[in-house]
Amino acid sequence: MSDSVACFEATHGTAPKCAGKDFVNPGSKLLAVEFMPSVAICSTFVTCACGPDGLMRSRPPVQGPGRFNTHRRQAMIQTEMFDLTGKVALLTGASKGMGKAMATGLAEHGAKVMISSRKLDQCEAAAREINDRCGAERAFAMACNAGYKEQLQELVNATKEKLGTIDIVVGNAGINPFYGSMMKIPDDAYDKIMSTNVKSNLWLAQMVIPDMIAKGKGSIMFTSSVGAHGASTTLGAYAISKVAVIGLARNLAAEFGPQGVRVNAICPGLIRTDFAEALWNNPEAEKRAATQIPLRRLGEADDFKGIAVFLGSDASRYITGQALTVCGGSHMRA
């Protein structure tokens, strides 16, 4: 009898079984086992699963710094509702921050993800990090400036050619080149904000929705902002563009819902990202977070992994046309 089976017997009074057969575990020391349908998780973070002959065998642990908890978590969250195995996701603005976190969450749940942003080296670095975390090649990289229609089309074409038709889209690219009064914003800055933040998402939808209609399902999510819920005396054009993103999501949801395509907007609060650093990296912002945000902290990029998986999966199959706010409670709306 192996040490692992002896340990389990001593703890539970019986040898572990799968499909009525004895557990086979060559080598690892099994101190405690949590059983799920066809899956057991060891305290050494060795994942054990039934083979085709019904015997339960151990899989080697994933090595590397910080990998054990990830391995264990992945094993425990593999439920059909959130399973994205076989799905293809395309993301813009995904080489860092929230976009990278959302790409990571989707990949961790089984999707193959195409990461894009303007800088290829950052995209490639993000893809390597995600693949290392997943222990499999699930993330791929391509440079794309979302403000240019031809580059978006090349991104869509390359994704389909390499990974297959697109099931999930995350339109996360966004810019804000102007801070100040609406009376002083130059025409080119206003046009650039509206083109990148709004029009690019419309282009992206036009490029991917036909394939989603053919499949009878698909999920699109656009990054809006809590800035869409109120006025701003210094970020006016940005706020206007984010209101428009919500309007775009709702109209697409209404038009293509009958064909099974869901479209939603995500409205982040103040998040610790490079994009918003000017807003959060100061004592006043920290004080507001500690006293005015109900969860008493600023948001982190990883706070968006869950909502991306939720909206991309069948867990949200009856949700469309919504603006989901992720803000720690700072913007509560009826």
Side-chain angles (χ1 to χ4, degrees), residues 6-141:
C7 274
F8 186 89
E9 268 195 336
T11 305
H12 297 272
T14 181
K17 294 178 180 292
C18 180
K21 300 182 181 181
D22 289 341
F23 171 68
V24 178
N25 179 31
S28 76
K29 201 169 188 181
L30 182 61
L31 301 178
V33 179
E34 302 169 34
F35 279 96
M36 296 167 58
S38 300
V39 177
I41 302 163
C42 314
S43 64
T44 53
F45 302 117
V46 177
T47 304
C48 310
C50 292
D53 55 2
L55 296 180
M56 188 172 279
R57 293 183 173 85
S58 67
R59 296 173 185 160
V62 178
Q63 301 297 327
R67 296 295 294 278
F68 293 125
N69 286 338
T70 300
H71 191 57
R72 177 169 181 157
R73 183 173 63 255
Q74 287 176 331
M76 294 185 69
I77 59 178
Q78 302 226 354
T79 64
E80 183 178 352
M81 183 177 291
F82 295 98
D83 185 13
L84 298 176
T85 302
K87 301 294 185 182
V88 174
L90 182 155
L91 302 93
T92 62
S95 62
K96 56 184 179 179
M98 292 187 301
K100 177 183 167 185
M102 289 190 278
T104 302
L106 295 170
E108 285 178 334
H109 285 73
K112 291 187 176 180
V113 301
M114 179 64 82
I115 295 171
S116 72
S117 74
R118 292 177 298 166
K119 298 181 179 180
L120 181 59
D121 59 335
Q122 292 182 359
C123 293
E124 290 174 337
R128 285 193 299 270
E129 182 179 330
I130 292 170
N131 290 334
D132 181 62
R133 185 179 181 89
C134 293
E137 190 178 25
R138 295 182 186 166
F140 304 84

Side-chain angles (χ1 to χ4, degrees), residues 34 77 90 130 175 182 196 271 274 304 333:
E34 302 169 34
I77 59 178
L90 182 155
I130 292 170
I175 62 169
M182 289 291 292
T196 302
I271 313 299
D274 292 347
F304 291 81
R333 303 180 63 81

